[in-house]
């Protein structure tokens, strides 16, 4: 709990960054470098060295660093299908493991590569049985067995629409897509937002979650939010900007609010990408955040934006996600109120950053 506010982190991972996991080294090296780069400048308490960070993270340390070292209460685990890595970077098996070990603290998304065609649909069916997923996570980039990069559009009726229909049949109502942040040395176009319009319009019975929304293409994001009530923003990476550069966070959020005004507070979901970046400084920064009055005066050309309140923050941190995804927030609170993580936190307070990982700050891997 963050000063009485329940916290759902809508995207967490256990990356396997070990070089032995590279399937397409040129691309995997670029992606690894990009991921490690977000740790740089996070401060002496939080910053890990290359050897401490670039390794295979297990689900136990992801859970412990999240729930014992930050005020996060519940999390959505995202396996990843990035073919530049042998296991996709975050394996489906890790998702199954974390659900088995910590069933009251995690739900999971499924993930597939739509470019695999029928095999992707078959894999989604398998994961639906294995994970009981609450959503489907997609990435625009795909790699062939020969290491060639390729991509797809979210409005491609032949490649991805069959997956949407299968997701609906399986009771999955949300499709998340990684946007704005290109994965290494690949074209930028697949990470733009022009393909969300058609998908959201053609499938009003699905929610479309823009992961990294607002990191780039804020104007396009604003008009998507204005036109499509089934589009939502996952704040992953903006959480890091909030911790490092709150003035940039202010501008990004207000730019996304240009056509929706205060409704922006209903369309954002908290997400940190932990363990890409430690969740604690992000939560502390968000809790302390207020929009500069000068920014508010310039914002909202079509609808004014009010100063952010504790009520707004509570919705962003948990309420919006729980409502949209059909989660019982009261039940989640009850289920996590007295488990092992809660008892340890009550007895000893928050552990030092990365202290419960296999390579704490200052340790050698």
């Amino acid at each position: 709990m963050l000063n009485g506010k329940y916290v759902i982190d809508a995207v967490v991972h256990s990356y396997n960054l070990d070089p032995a996991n590279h399937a397409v080294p040129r691309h995997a090296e670029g992606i690894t470098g990009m991921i490690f780069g977000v740790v740089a400048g996070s401060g002496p308490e939080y910053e890990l060295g290359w050897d401490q960070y670039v390794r295979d993270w297990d689900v136990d340390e992801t859970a412990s660093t999240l729930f014992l070292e930050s005020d996060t209460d519940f999390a959505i685990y995202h396996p990843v299908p990035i073919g530049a890595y042998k296991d996709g970077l975050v394996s489906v098996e890790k998702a199954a493991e974390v659900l088995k070990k910590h069933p009251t603290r995690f739900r999971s998304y499924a993930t597939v590569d739509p470019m695999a065609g029928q095999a992707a649909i078959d894999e989604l069916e398998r994961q639906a049985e294995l994970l009981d997923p609450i959503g489907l996570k997609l990435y625009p980039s795909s790699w062939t067995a020969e290491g060639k990069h390729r991509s797809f559009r979210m409005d491609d009726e032949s490649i991805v629409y069959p997956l949407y229909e299968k997701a609906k049949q399986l009771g999955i109502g949300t499709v998340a897509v990684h946007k704005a942040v290109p994965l290494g040395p690949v074209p930028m176009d697949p990470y733009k937002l022009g393909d969300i319009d058609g998908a959201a319009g053609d499938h009003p019975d699905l929610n479309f979650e823009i992961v990294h929304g607002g990191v780039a293409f804020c104007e396009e994001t604003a008009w998507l939010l204005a036109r499509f009530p089934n589009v939502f923003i996952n704040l992953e990476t903006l959480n890091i900007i909030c911790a490092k550069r709150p003035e940039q966070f202010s501008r990004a959020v207000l730019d996304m609010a240009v056509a929706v005004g205060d409704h922006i507070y209903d369309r954002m979901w908290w997400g940190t990408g932990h363990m890409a970046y430690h969740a604690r400084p992000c939560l502390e920064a968000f809790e302390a955040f207020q929009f500069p009055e000068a920014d508010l005066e310039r914002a909202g050309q079509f609808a004014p934006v009010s100063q952010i309140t504790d009520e707004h923050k509570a919705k962003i941190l948990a309420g919006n996600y729980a409502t949209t995804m059909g989660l019982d927030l009261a039940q989640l609170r009850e289920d996590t109120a007295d488990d092992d993580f809660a008892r340890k936190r009550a007895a000893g307070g928050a552990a030092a950053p990365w202290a419960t990982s296999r390579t704490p700050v200052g340790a050698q891997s």
Side-chain angles (χ1 to χ4, degrees):
M1 300 280 283
L2 182 66
N3 294 329
K5 295 184 280 291
Y6 197 80
V7 178
I8 298 175
D9 193 327
V11 51
V12 303
H13 320 93
S14 305
Y15 289 141
N16 183 358
L17 296 167
D18 191 318
N21 191 37
H22 292 178
V24 186
R26 183 172 75 91
H27 287 277
E29 288 165 4
I31 297 167
T32 297
M34 178 188 71
I35 293 171
F36 177 74
V38 305
V39 179
S42 54
E45 288 184 276
Y46 298 98
E47 193 160 341
L48 297 174
W50 180 270
D51 290 338
Q52 295 169 309
Y53 188 81
V54 179
R55 59 180 177 83
D56 186 4
W57 289 71
D58 63 51
V59 300
D60 289 329
E61 60 186 332
T62 298
S64 67
T65 55
L66 191 64
F67 300 126
L68 297 181
E69 299 178 12
S70 86
D71 289 316
T72 306
D73 298 292
F74 192 83
I76 311 301
Y77 196 90
H78 284 220
V80 176
I82 297 175
Y85 298 86
K86 295 175 183 176
D87 67 356
L89 185 59
V90 184
S91 69
V92 172
E93 288 71 27
K94 282 183 175 177
E97 181 185 1
V98 81
L99 293 174
K100 182 177 180 180
K101 289 182 172 180
H102 309 291
T104 63
R105 289 280 182 167
F106 287 93
R107 292 294 299 271
S108 178
Y109 281 15
T111 193
V112 298
D113 178 356
M115 300 293 287
Q118 182 60 44
I121 293 175
D122 295 344
E123 176 62 13
L124 181 56
E125 289 182 329
R126 183 185 79 87
Q127 291 181 34
E129 184 173 347
L130 179 67
L131 304 176
D132 186 23
I134 197 170
L136 171 63
K137 178 69 172 290
L138 302 178
Y139 285 75
S141 284
S142 176
W143 284 267
T144 67
E146 297 75 30
K148 180 177 175 58
H149 177 266
R150 55 188 183 169
S151 62
F152 68 93
R153 290 179 56 90
M154 291 289 287
D155 57 1
D156 190 304
E157 296 184 12
S158 62
I159 292 176
V160 74
Y161 277 27
L163 269 176
Y164 298 160
E165 296 303 329
K166 176 56 66 174
K168 296 176 199 178
Q169 293 172 18
L170 295 170
I172 299 169
T174 294
V175 178
V177 58
H178 174 117
K179 287 289 189 178
V181 181
L183 293 175
V186 298
M188 189 66 188
D189 275 354
Y191 294 86
K192 295 180 180 179
L193 302 178
D195 55 343
I196 301 293
D197 308 59
D202 289 345
H203 299 274
D205 49 348
L206 285 176
N207 301 316
F208 288 87
E209 175 184 357
I210 303 175
V211 182
H212 312 293
V215 174
F217 316 122
C218 289
E219 182 177 356
E220 293 89 338
T221 305
W223 290 104
L224 278 169
L225 294 174
R227 291 176 294 148
F228 300 104
N230 55 333
V231 172
F232 297 85
I233 304 303
N234 185 311
L235 290 174
E236 183 188 7
T237 305
L238 269 190
N239 66 293
I240 301 170
I241 294 172
C242 184
K244 287 186 173 185
R245 298 287 187 271
E247 70 284 356
Q248 293 181 17
F249 178 81
S250 173
R251 287 195 293 270
V253 172
L254 292 176
D255 283 350
M256 290 191 293
V258 65
V260 295
D262 274 3
H263 290 297
I264 191 66
Y265 294 128
D266 302 316
R267 308 291 286 279
M268 295 188 294
W269 300 342
W270 182 251
T272 69
H274 184 96
M275 36 55 62
Y277 194 93
H278 201 290
R280 183 158 143 192
C282 304
L283 282 168
E284 291 174 350
F286 183 67
E287 178 69 353
F289 177 79
Q290 293 280 285
F291 289 109
E293 289 300 325
D295 286 359
L296 286 176
E297 290 175 7
R298 291 191 296 268
Q301 288 94 324
F302 295 91
V305 182
S306 303
Q307 181 62 265
I308 193 168
T309 66
D310 274 349
E311 181 181 358
H312 294 142
K313 290 176 181 178
K315 290 200 299 184
I316 293 165
L317 289 169
N320 292 339
Y321 191 83
T323 298
T324 304
M325 305 301 275
L327 298 175
D328 186 333
L329 196 53
Q331 188 64 55
L332 292 183
R333 288 175 182 265
E334 182 179 338
D335 291 343
T336 56
D338 192 38
D339 64 4
D340 188 51
F341 291 118
R343 289 191 294 271
K344 287 180 178 178
R345 280 297 304 269
W354 303 121
T356 67
S357 73
R358 287 190 281 121
T359 52
V361 171
Q364 297 299 315
S365 62

